[in-house]
Amino acid sequence: MHPPLSIAVIGAGLMGHGIAQVLAHAGHAVVLSDADPAMLGTVRGRIARNLEEMGVPAAPVLERLRTVPTLAAAVSDADMVIESVAEVANVKQGLLAEVASLAPAHAILTSNTSVIPITRLGERLDDDARGRLVGTHWWNPPHLIPLVEVVRTAYTRQDVVDRTVALLRDAGKVPVVVHRDVTGFIGNRLNQAMWREALALIEAGVCDAETIDTVVKSSFGLRLPVLGPMENADLIGLELTRNLHALLLPDLSDAKTASPLLDAAIARGHTGLAAGHGLRSWTPEDAEAVRRRLAAHLIVSIKKEA
Ligand SMILES: NC(=O)c1ccc[n+]([C@@H]2O[C@H](COP(=O)([O-])OP(=O)(O)OC[C@H]3O[C@@H](n4cnc5c(N)ncnc54)[C@H](O)[C@@H]3O)[C@@H](O)[C@H]2O)c1
């Protein structure tokens, strides 16, 4: 698939605006739509700010990007539709069914769900549309994190997987194919396994939330960009890995429900950064400072990789 394709992005929030930016930057004609007119109204400004931070001229990218008020206008000419609306299965199912009825019969249909199996999201589609449905799980911020998980279902056509991977690679992303449609795909399963253990350590009084962050950021977090866990296992040797697992795994959390720590914090109104308190405490200035710190770090990292 070579630019320029016509790509519709539905949902102009945190993820949708960055996804639209990447694809317009890659030369595609991108149409953005959102149920909330206020989100659509600010989207060009948000993309311009991202591009400025990256040192990329905004005008040529914004020229390839249109915002439209209705779903029909967004998808009527689309070669690919990317849904990035709220993480509610019922909403996504309804939206994908509507998209399938409005978009051209050849259009690839994708969802940016973080954890919901793609097969479930396609339950209201006919066989033909199911064959064109594939997961594309981007990571936040999508214009700076390279990985996109391309999730195939038992129905997804091979050419749809291949064309999606090619499009993402050509747009500068690092696509990986997820061969079975498991909840949370690959990255979120790995990430959330660590968060479960972190919360279990705090619950057990081993340390506080700040210490968890210090341990990760000052130890294995530093080597992760150059040494994946499977490379690391080989590096230390599989006998040692097996011995560590034999000693440690029986003691790790295998909780099957969300941590009571989360319930208690939420009940106190400590819902996270936007509320000023979550697992840690935050000032109003911190939100912007965290966003900028993360963006600056990622921009340096991806420039080093290039
Ligand atoms: N935030 C993350 O870190 C992250 C990472 C990867 C994937 N995701 C996934 O991406 C998707 C979007 O997440 P987000 O963080 O961008 O959320 P968000 O709340 O920032 O944006 C969602 C947007 O969708 C719009 N919307 C909701 N229902 C709609 C509908 N029926 N039609 C059109 N627009 C509609 C909302 O108005 C909103 O602007 C979710 O599925 C989420 O799980 C999020």
Side-chain angles (χ1 to χ4, degrees):
M1 299 222 281
H2 295 292
L5 293 181
S6 174
I7 301 181
V9 179
I10 313 303
L14 187 64
M15 297 301 292
H17 89 281
I19 294 170
Q21 173 188 326
V22 169
L23 297 170
H25 192 187
H28 300 290
V30 178
V31 187
L32 257 167
S33 182
D34 195 293
D36 179 356
M39 289 305 280
L40 267 191
T42 59
V43 76
R44 297 176 81 81
R46 284 180 281 141
I47 291 174
R49 183 180 69 172
N50 293 343
L51 290 164
E52 190 188 320
E53 280 176 352
M54 294 168 73
V56 173
V61 178
L62 292 175
E63 249 170 45
R64 287 191 285 274
L65 202 136
R66 278 190 308 128
T67 58
V68 295
T70 65
L71 189 62
V75 306
S76 62
D77 194 28
D79 300 304
M80 174 182 266
V81 180
I82 300 174
E83 82 71 17
S84 188
V85 306
E87 187 77 345
V88 181
N90 191 37
V91 172
K92 287 184 184 289
Q93 285 169 335
L95 182 83
L96 285 169
E98 221 183 324
V99 166
S101 72
L102 294 167
H106 72 274
I108 292 178
L109 313 176
T110 85
S111 171
N112 183 42
T113 175
S114 303
V115 293
I116 306 171
I118 305 302
T119 312
R120 193 171 153 207
L121 296 182
E123 276 172 5
R124 294 189 207 160
L125 303 182
D126 63 20
D127 286 352
D128 177 71
R130 265 190 219 157
R132 292 182 278 123
L133 177 65
V134 65
T136 49
H137 177 227
W138 300 62
W139 287 70
N140 181 44
H143 59 289
L144 296 177
I145 301 265
L147 186 76
V148 182
E149 291 169 291
V150 176
V151 187
R152 69 173 344 135
T153 74
Y155 307 100
T156 314
R157 285 181 357 216
Q158 183 62 43
D159 67 294
V160 168
V161 174
D162 294 343
R163 284 189 289 147
T164 303
V165 165
L167 173 116
L168 291 165
R169 192 169 287 138
D170 289 349
K173 307 311 282 184
V174 176
V176 296
V177 177
V178 181
H179 292 289
R180 277 191 51 215
D181 186 19
V182 290
T183 310
F185 318 125
I186 301 169
N188 264 328
R189 289 175 81 104
L190 295 171
N191 201 22
Q192 297 307 323
M194 183 171 69
W195 291 22
R196 172 171 70 179
E197 185 58 31
L199 290 164
L201 288 167
I202 301 169
E203 266 170 45
V206 175
C207 62
D208 60 12
E210 187 178 344
T211 304
I212 295 281
D213 288 337
T214 302
V215 167
V216 173
K217 289 195 279 188
S218 303
S219 65
F220 63 84
L222 285 174
R223 61 185 184 216
L224 280 176
V226 291
L227 191 70
M230 299 294 90
E231 290 172 318
N232 201 349
D234 279 348
L235 195 77
I236 65 170
L238 297 190
E239 279 111 346
L240 176 55
T241 301
R242 185 181 57 188
N243 291 347
L244 286 173
H245 283 199
L247 288 164
L248 191 57
L249 295 194
D251 219 35
L252 292 183
S253 172
D254 61 356
K256 295 289 182 210
T257 53
S259 165
L261 265 185
L262 297 176
D263 292 331
I266 292 163
R268 287 203 305 277
H270 289 192
T271 52
L273 188 147
H277 296 278
L279 296 165
R280 315 247 335 230
S281 292
W282 304 90
T283 65
E285 296 75 40
D286 284 341
E288 184 55 19
V290 165
R291 196 198 64 77
R292 280 185 185 277
R293 192 172 72 209
L294 180 63
H297 169 73
L298 292 173
I299 288 165
V300 170
S301 304
I302 55 178
K303 280 198 178 138
K304 256 195 237 156
E305 285 292 309

